[in-house]
């Protein structure tokens, strides 16, 4: 699949690298077309690099791995075509007042819904934002059952994302569909819980399991 | 132990009933001293009933099981003595705009911290707010490992709460200390994630496990 990954941070790199390993045609996009991290990643892994628009051009799926507080501008620059699946893995964390961080998106809204409203012809799916980047693409790093949560209004787009998650190694039973895109509010709130657990657990390689 | 339970809802009833079963001296408190639910509970279970102040009088531990949006007024009426352990199990959910709900406490704060600031001589501990009332007091209702999270600034108060949790049936390894009272922000945010999961799971008898 032709995939654009927006964002050059650790999450963007983890996702882009895994997607290339799985045989996808991946372009990493940055705000600046000359971004050296994107160019370095592309040289090392055999993908493409460019600005956000270059990454999204002709892509069937665009991954938003930019910081959630800047994702609206990033996707505006990317300008994904109607029909594109937008997999939003972002969190709108604001660390400026210290720990614990807060979110820059108010209650009753989410980054994912903002992206969907700004690009109504695309099909936004929220997933993977409730865990660390390495766990996203290598769920086997965490022992025992644990889940990835998927929210979105387009069933076909959720199926596309679920198929990718299965390629990453997520078992079928570990992909939990939590409903429409308003459920992204709960998934994005979960990151505030995650950072709290992170302090208690002492490392990033954990994930949540819904015991039931 | 002499315990006051503030709140007559399903969570207050579940906690008060279990505490009586375990041999504690429990008074259920309501805003109105003539509240028929509190009186009915006391008659059925052998506890006491009264207003918030009556429930907190001479109590070593006060459980705040009122709705989080009204907990500040409830604890002001209860006026717990300095040194009292205040176990805050509340969530400040606002359902007025439909599903999903929002919180009435802004990012960067929590009900638990508000209670602590208003009653600096008490020792506030946040716990149990991340699950349904029946699971709080009967963790065996949920199969497999799953956890209860404890936050607070006073180690002795956390130990008192942890001992109660052990009486409820929580295994030692299932009580996860997540740090000081600012961690209550993350625990209270988790309820927005919980309500999202609730829709997907289809029932209330689930809980979170930190796979690691």
């Amino acid at each position: 699949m032709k995939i654009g990954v927006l964002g050059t941070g650790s999450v963007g790199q983890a996702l882009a690298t895994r997607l290339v390993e799985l045989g996808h045609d991946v372009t990493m996009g940055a705000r600046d077309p000359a971004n050296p991290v994107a160019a370095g990643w592309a040289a090392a892994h055999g993908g493409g690099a460019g600005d956000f628009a270059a990454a999204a051009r002709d892509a069937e799926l665009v991954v938003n791995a930019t910081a959630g507080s800047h994702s609206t501008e990033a996707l505006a620059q990317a300008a994904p075509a109607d029909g594109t699946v937008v997999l939003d893995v972002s969190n709108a964390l604001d660390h400026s007042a210290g720990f614990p961080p807060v979110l820059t998106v108010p209650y009753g809204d989410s980054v994912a819904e903002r992206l969907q409203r700004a690009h109504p012809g695309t099909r936004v799916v929220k997933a993977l934002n409730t865990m660390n980047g390495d766990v996203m693409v290598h769920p086997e790093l965490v022992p025992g059952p644990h889940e990835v949560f998927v929210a979105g209004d387009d069933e076909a787009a959720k199926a596309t994302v679920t198929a990718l998650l299965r390629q990453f190694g997520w078992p079928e039973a570990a992909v939990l569909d939590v409903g429409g895109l308003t459920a992204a509010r709960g998934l994005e709130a979960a990151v505030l819980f995650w950072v709290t657990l992170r302090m208690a657990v002492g490392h990033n390689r954990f994930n949540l399991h819904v015991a039931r």
Side-chain angles (χ1 to χ4, degrees), chain A:
Chain A
M1 202 187 320
K2 185 158 169 43
I3 299 176
V5 174
L6 313 183
T8 61
S10 59
V11 171
Q13 293 208 30
L15 287 161
T17 300
R18 184 79 165 123
L19 289 165
V20 165
E21 284 171 7
L22 291 165
H24 296 286
D25 174 8
V26 180
T27 299
M28 181 180 284
R31 186 178 312 269
D32 176 359
N35 181 299
V37 176
W41 174 84
H45 296 280
D51 62 10
F52 291 138
R57 193 167 298 130
D58 302 325
E60 295 166 69
L61 184 139
V62 168
V63 180
N64 175 41
T66 66
S69 302
H70 303 293
S71 294
T72 304
E73 301 108 86
L75 204 64
Q77 292 178 22
D82 283 358
T84 306
V85 176
V86 176
L87 169 56
D88 174 30
V89 306
S90 73
N91 285 304
L93 284 166
D94 175 2
H95 296 275
S96 62
F99 188 87
V102 299
L103 300 184
T104 59
V105 174
Y107 294 130
D109 201 1
S110 60
V111 177
E113 290 168 281
R114 289 181 166 195
L115 298 180
Q116 184 69 81
R117 286 198 300 272
H119 303 271
T122 68
R123 300 177 289 161
V124 178
V125 176
K126 188 88 196 186
L128 289 168
N129 72 298
T130 57
M131 68 194 74
N132 207 52
D134 56 354
V135 177
M136 292 180 186
V137 296
H138 286 291
E140 74 281 4
L141 290 172
V142 175
H146 57 97
E147 283 89 38
V148 56
F149 309 99
V150 179
D153 292 331
D154 187 287
E155 295 303 322
K158 285 202 280 195
T160 298
V161 168
T162 296
L164 269 188
L165 296 173
R166 298 296 310 281
Q167 290 181 13
F168 290 168
W170 291 94
E172 185 171 3
V175 182
L176 189 56
D177 186 335
V178 293
L181 203 59
T182 58
R185 301 175 195 175
L187 300 186
E188 294 184 17
V191 77
L192 299 176
F193 180 49
W194 187 93
V195 297
T196 297
L197 296 177
R198 165 70 184 77
M199 292 296 281
V201 170
H203 61 78
N204 293 327
R205 286 190 174 175
F206 69 90
N207 193 24
L208 293 165
H209 168 55
V210 184
R212 51 188 155 147

